Amino acid sequence: MRGRAIGYIPPRKKLVHFKGRYIRAIPLLRKPRTIIVALLLAMSIGGLGAAQAALCPDANGAICKLSAGSYFTMAVTVVALLLMCNDAPPDLVLVGTTTLLLLTHVITDEEALKGFCSPSVLAIGALFPVARSLEEAQTVDRAIRPILGHPTSHRAALLRLCAPVAIFSGFLNNTPLVAMLISPCETWAANSGLHISVLLMPLSFSSMLGGMCTLIGTSTNLVLNSQIEQDPSAPLQPFGMFSMTPVSLPAAILGIGVMALLAPPLLSRDTLLLEVSTIFAEMYRHSGTFALLNEVHGSRKCAPSAARVYGRKQRWVAILSLVVLLVLSSTELVPLLPLTLSLSFVLVGAGCITVEQAWASISYRVLITIAASFGLGSALKNTHISNLLADALISLSGSVPHVTNLLVVGRGGYRFGDFTRLGGILTLVVGVCVSVLAWGLPASVLP
């Protein structure tokens, strides 16, 4: 039996035949002139370091406090950003960057390996089997299907998707929320004739916009509030649950509108329709070769032996696991790592997912990308340039280092530049909106 499926192969990621199967061949450098520009910029930054004494004879000012290692780190960072903008794999670039910084003693062994033993990174790895089991049981898909409906355009679909995601993100941890919505969005896109690339990046961005609307919506707000409470001389009073809502809610609404307007023309991709066997669809659905590979309703039925049969017990275990994950991760009663590990064991033990499926569901390249980025962050901090470049790097990258962005980058077939275009515009619009509201609202409304 053969099933009709929609598969999207990301552009410039060619398939080559190797040992009886087709695999992706991603060129490290698509445009050789990019590496030339990167080297020239690196040399220019190095020249600036050599001329430091002439530029700052009085040894005062922030620039004068930078060392030779600071300029070297700046050069390495610029080269890494340009390579990723040139479609070089982020995991390869960041691992190479961390290795280079380690060899040149900009960071220590502990700082280079800090991300690989971080509880947050390990928790994300344990979250993949949980999301896969919920996908197999169609738990989230059944719950969200009435909300998503049957839109007739990408803009209508984005409004249906982003608005509830932003609301839920104000009270739920956005990382598990996005992880669990990726697969339902893929099925929804296949059945509605939508481009999955138009949906997944706004899904990630809307979770960030909603998270900034409440105190518990993001860990950043909680950390800041904790520091304010511990500092008697802090210029601000401790935040309440909705202290930031008057400023952040209008910004979130505006951001969702901007994504609905700009995401379809900026993120649309060509779609390839494949007629494949059920076994092929099951093998390659999570391989990363295809951003989307799902059965289309109305096609010929798949072989019954390929479908996993879920009983009432498995479905109830999956539903309870979803509730426990959302409640405990949002209230932070249990740290995310032991929570996700415990749920993974429960779901495997209950038969909701096999051990092989659990291991296969983990996106190791995403985890390596996140872990390797810790080394670059330590280098920017050690060389005293983080304060000078943090805002510029965040704007330039379009928030691509965020965990939820890394969760969708492969499944959406995105390139680094896609985040720069839409994320840069969104950052600018939301930043201006927040600045205007903070300046114009009465002091009694603001925290």
Side-chain angles (χ1 to χ4, degrees), residues 4-23:
R4 185 164 168 258
I6 289 181
Y8 159 64
I9 302 177
R12 303 181 187 89
K13 296 185 178 181
K14 299 179 179 179
L15 293 180
V16 297
H17 194 266
F18 178 73
K19 293 186 178 181
R21 60 180 295 191
Y22 286 93
I23 60 175

Side-chain angles (χ1 to χ4, degrees), residues 144 148 156-166 185 188 199 203 206:
I144 201 172
L148 299 180
L158 287 171
L159 293 176
R160 286 175 175 264
L161 174 65
C162 295
V165 168
C185 284
W188 179 47
L199 302 178
L203 166 66
S206 60

Side-chain angles (χ1 to χ4, degrees), residues 46-85:
L48 180 61
Q52 179 179 5
L55 293 173
C56 304
D58 57 352
N60 293 321
I63 296 181
C64 303
K65 298 178 181 178
L66 300 180
S67 62
S70 303
Y71 292 101
F72 176 76
T73 302
M74 291 170 61
V76 170
T77 303
V78 169
V79 171
L81 289 173
L82 286 175
L83 287 175
M84 288 188 286
C85 287

Side-chain angles (χ1 to χ4, degrees), residues 72-134:
F72 176 76
T73 302
M74 291 170 61
V76 170
T77 303
V78 169
V79 171
L81 289 173
L82 286 175
L83 287 175
M84 288 188 286
C85 287
N86 194 44
D87 296 341
D91 52 345
L92 177 62
V93 173
L94 290 175
V95 168
T97 299
T98 299
T99 303
L100 182 60
L101 294 171
L102 176 62
L103 293 175
T104 53
H105 303 289
V106 177
I107 57 177
T108 63
D109 294 348
E110 291 76 13
E111 290 171 332
L113 299 175
K114 181 170 60 176
F116 293 90
C117 56
S118 168
S120 299
V121 177
L122 297 176
I124 295 169
L127 183 61
F128 282 107
V130 177
R132 175 68 187 276
S133 63
L134 295 175

Side-chain angles (χ1 to χ4, degrees), residues 127 131 172-181 325-326 329 336 407:
L127 183 61
L172 303 175
N173 190 304
N174 59 1
T175 300
L177 180 65
V178 171
M180 290 182 297
L181 287 177
L325 174 64
L326 294 179
S329 64
L336 191 57
L407 290 175

Side-chain angles (χ1 to χ4, degrees), residues 110-385:
E110 291 76 13
E111 290 171 332
L113 299 175
K114 181 170 60 176
F116 293 90
C117 56
S118 168
S120 299
V121 177
L122 297 176
I124 295 169
L127 183 61
F128 282 107
V130 177
R132 175 68 187 276
S133 63
L134 295 175
E135 173 188 343
E136 293 291 328
Q138 298 184 339
T139 305
V140 181
D141 188 42
R142 292 171 182 266
I144 201 172
R145 191 180 301 167
I147 300 176
L148 299 180
H150 302 282
T152 57
S153 66
H154 283 100
R155 289 189 171 91
L158 287 171
L159 293 176
R160 286 175 175 264
L161 174 65
C162 295
V165 168
I167 294 173
F168 291 140
S169 296
F171 305 93
L172 303 175
N173 190 304
N174 59 1
T175 300
L177 180 65
V178 171
M180 290 182 297
L181 287 177
I182 291 176
S183 181
C185 284
E186 291 176 338
T187 304
W188 179 47
N191 296 333
S192 304
L194 304 171
H195 292 284
I196 188 63
S197 58
V198 178
L199 302 178
L200 291 188
M201 190 185 299
L203 166 66
S204 174
F205 286 169
S206 60
S207 72
M208 301 180 206
L209 293 173
M212 68 182 187
C213 293
T214 65
L215 176 62
I216 65 173
T218 174
S219 59
T220 304
N221 291 345
L222 292 172
V223 171
L224 177 60
N225 189 60
S226 176
Q227 292 177 343
I228 293 175
E229 291 176 341
Q230 296 174 6
D231 186 2
S233 60
L236 297 175
Q237 295 295 323
F239 297 139
M241 181 65 173
F242 300 102
S243 294
M244 59 284 298
T245 305
V247 173
S248 56
L249 181 59
I253 296 174
L254 178 61
I256 292 174
V258 169
M259 288 191 293
L261 180 65
L262 298 181
L266 290 178
L267 301 177
S268 294
R269 299 283 187 271
D270 294 331
T271 302
L272 176 65
L273 182 64
L274 300 179
E275 190 82 13
V276 300
S277 66
T278 302
I279 295 177
F280 180 93
E282 185 66 25
M283 288 177 58
Y284 288 94
R285 180 173 297 169
H286 300 278
S287 65
T289 301
F290 302 96
L292 171 61
L293 188 60
N294 280 327
E295 183 187 4
V296 177
H297 291 312
S299 63
R300 284 177 286 179
K301 297 298 182 181
C302 299
S305 60
R308 184 172 178 80
V309 179
Y310 275 80
R312 179 174 297 181
K313 182 188 75 171
Q314 284 82 9
R315 293 194 183 278
W316 274 110
V317 170
I319 292 173
L320 291 176
S321 298
L322 172 61
V323 173
V324 170
L325 174 64
L326 294 179
V327 172
L328 294 185
S329 64
S330 301
T331 57
E332 297 188 346
L333 294 176
V334 180
L336 191 57
L337 177 57
L339 175 61
T340 51
L341 285 175
S342 301
L343 291 178
S344 297
F345 277 110
V346 170
L347 291 166
V348 171
C352 298
I353 186 176
T354 65
V355 176
E356 291 76 14
Q357 287 176 320
W359 284 113
S361 67
I362 300 175
S363 180
Y364 297 99
R365 297 187 65 178
V366 170
L367 297 179
I368 290 174
T369 301
I370 300 173
S373 65
F374 280 61
L376 180 58
S378 297
L380 293 174
K381 180 179 179 180
N382 294 346
T383 54
H384 307 291
I385 61 176

